[in-house]
Amino acid sequence: MTVQKSHFVCVVCPIGCEIDVVHEDSEILSMEGQKCDKSEEYVRQELLEPMRILTTTVRIRGARWPVIPVRTDGPVPKRLFPRLMRQLKRIELQAPVDMLDVVVSDIAGTDANIVATRSMPQER
Amino acid sequence: MEVDVAVIGSGPAGLTAAIHARGSGARSVVLLEREEELGGILKQCIHNGFGLEQFKQDYTGPEYAERLIQDLEETDVQCFLNTLVTDLSPDRVITALSPEHGAIEISAGSIVLGMGCRERARGSIGIPGTRPAGIFTAGVAQRFVNIDGYLPGRRIVILGSGDIGLMMARRLTLEGARVIGVYEIMGYPSGLKRNIVQCLDDFDIPLHLSHTATGITGKERVEGVTISKVDSDLRAVKGTEQLITCDTLLLSVGLIPENELSQQAGVEISAATKGPVSTETMATSVPGVYTCGNVATVFDIVDHVAQTGATAGASAARYVGGRLNGDVPHVDIVPGENVRLLFPHRYSFQGDLLLFIRAAEPVEKPVTVEVSPPGSRITRPYARPNEMLRVRIPGAKLAEVRHPLKVSIREK
Ligand SMILES: Cc1cc2nc3c(=O)[nH]c(=O)nc-3n(C[C@H](O)[C@H](O)[C@H](O)COP(=O)(O)OP(=O)(O)OC[C@H]3O[C@@H](n4cnc5c(N)ncnc54)[C@H](O)[C@@H]3O)c2cc1C
């Protein structure tokens, strides 16, 4: 275990505080630059496991367009993005699809579902 | 065909305007859209971050659009898709073309302009070199990937650090392309800090400030881009050229309101905002013609776009109802200290003034926005050129004003 210094830009709100943190692994020893308490939670999570919403597209058959936009319905570990992308490349949906339809549930054991972010009716 | 209100463009501005025009008493409202679907540019902005203010939700672009479309479908607003408006006359006659209806002529009691903006292209920045395939604006690439479902290339250089370019850096990386770097001529990024973090830093994509493209090579297809450092006068520094091998160059160098139609109607265009000179009711210089969204001025967030759409729609309905006069007294709104851009340009004594302000220089400390007369002072935590400030001045405070309103941003 070593004491390290890291720099973060908090993305909780538009202010985007620049924060310098002294930490031992994921334990925060001190931090400066933040303007509110929310940053601490953000930085702790960043040290532990950066989490993000993934937005992408998947193939769809029978619709006007060849792809449909989707997202995770909650934040997932950022490091799993390549795995999620690979898995999503393999699937193909069939129109019609409604907005917020679950496309893949509990993707890669993340507890998050992949949901459609628009409806796509079936094209005649 | 005769209607009370005709809205041109079905992005968030036009959709909101149509809903509000109908809701504010217009009896017949039509919405004209050249694309085959409603929603405008939001359909291709598949990332999240939309509607935090208006809906208190973190929507993606398509979700935000669908939410508005659902609201529109509750009304009897008539939508014409695949319908390109080709002409607009000062007496509010619209000519449009559609494969289904042929040439249409619509005579409207009032009109709302909601045509959005377009991206600056290569011509507007003048990079020398060959003219091969493989050069796109970031927005065109966004459409290719997110709607048409294919990659524009495999090894990509992005010129300019606008938000759409940043989004595409992440998107293309996720899809397996190699984004070599983002090159920005200015000494600071033009996109939001949070987008730099989430789109570039998250994926280890380098951002090179004070760099620009000084050449393009390749005959049929782009084979490389020459990148040079620039000095403080933004001139390329000799001897700093490096050739970067790539098959695609994306440009993310700014947006401009799309006002060809507005000009046909004789609408006065502001040199500062590149959109119609407008009042707080979104009235342009032509009576009965209103404006909103990115055709009015390039906004940063969709909530602001929708807010101007709501005002424009309501005003258009009041105009046909005879409750709003086209020719009313007004005072100008003029930039003072540290203000680059202001919207609207005039105040016409019709209620509160919602003012959008772009700072000239960043101030990373609390600032006071001063509007004088009437001498209103509003505090904000910071002022940044890439995040418009928005302040509301109550109409009651402005009733007695007879001189131009001067807007300044000062460190508190
Ligand atoms: C390529 C691009 C990508 C963007 N990405 C983002 C983003 O990721 N995040 C963000 O917050 N903002 C983004 N923006 C800004 C975005 O434009 C606004 O947030 C918002 O969508 C603007 O809404 P609007 O209604 O003013 O314009 P738009 O959404 O552009 O809608 C204008 C509509 O008018 C139609 N139209 C234009 N001319 C005519 C005509 N003559 N006849 C008929 N119809 C016509 C167009 O087809 C279009 O549907 C982007 C802008 C562009 C240009």
Side-chain angles (χ1 to χ4, degrees), chain B residues 210-254:
Chain B
S210 302
H211 279 78
T212 192
T214 48
I216 294 172
T217 48
K219 279 206 191 73
E220 305 276 295
R221 176 83 197 191
V222 172
E223 285 166 13
V225 178
T226 309
I227 296 286
S228 304
K229 269 197 187 135
V230 299
D231 61 21
S232 52
D233 296 323
L234 306 184
R235 276 190 306 247
V237 180
K238 276 230 158 53
T240 61
E241 301 84 2
Q242 45 169 324
L243 179 68
I244 296 170
T245 315
C246 61
D247 59 17
T248 305
L249 175 65
L250 296 191
L251 305 174
S252 183
V253 292

Side-chain angles (χ1 to χ4, degrees), chain B residues 297-300 304 341 356-358 386-390:
Chain B
T297 185
V298 176
F299 290 94
D300 307 317
H304 293 177
L341 187 147
F356 296 91
I357 309 160
R358 213 178 267 295
N386 56 7
E387 294 176 44
M388 270 184 174
L389 296 168
R390 184 185 47 180

Side-chain angles (χ1 to χ4, degrees), chain A:
Chain A
M1 293 230 200
T2 50
V3 176
Q4 280 178 297
K5 279 186 190 163
S6 303
H7 180 82
F8 290 98
V9 177
C10 178
V11 297
V12 174
C13 86
I15 296 179
C17 293
E18 306 247 356
I19 301 168
D20 287 300
V21 195
V22 180
H23 58 103
E24 202 171 313
D25 290 331
S26 62
E27 191 192 336
I28 299 172
L29 301 176
S30 71
M31 56 190 271
E32 58 183 69
Q34 74 276 23
K35 294 194 172 71
C36 78
D37 303 338
K38 287 187 189 141
S39 296
E40 190 171 328
E41 181 52 39
Y42 172 76
V43 169
R44 181 168 294 123
Q45 188 61 53
E46 282 296 287
L47 290 170
L48 207 60
E49 172 80 77
M51 303 286 282
R52 303 283 185 270
I53 302 269
L54 174 68
T55 60
T56 182
T57 54
V58 297
R59 302 251 140 217
I60 184 167
R61 240 179 312 150
R64 173 180 289 151
W65 309 110
V67 293
I68 180 168
V70 298
R71 64 171 166 86
T72 55
D73 62 1
V76 296
K78 186 183 83 180
R79 72 187 153 81
L80 295 180
F81 274 15
R83 215 165 111 197
L84 268 48
M85 288 298 292
R86 276 198 304 278
Q87 189 171 340
L88 290 173
K89 274 216 160 75
R90 288 198 298 267
I91 67 169
E92 186 173 51
L93 306 180
Q94 173 66 50
V97 170
D98 269 336
M99 183 164 80
L100 300 184
D101 275 1
V102 173
V103 172
V104 182
S105 49
D106 186 19
I107 188 160
T110 56
D111 270 348
N113 302 313
I114 300 289
V115 296
T117 54
R118 59 163 290 177
S119 330
M120 270 198 195
Q122 187 158 17
E123 285 292 287
R124 306 119 290 166

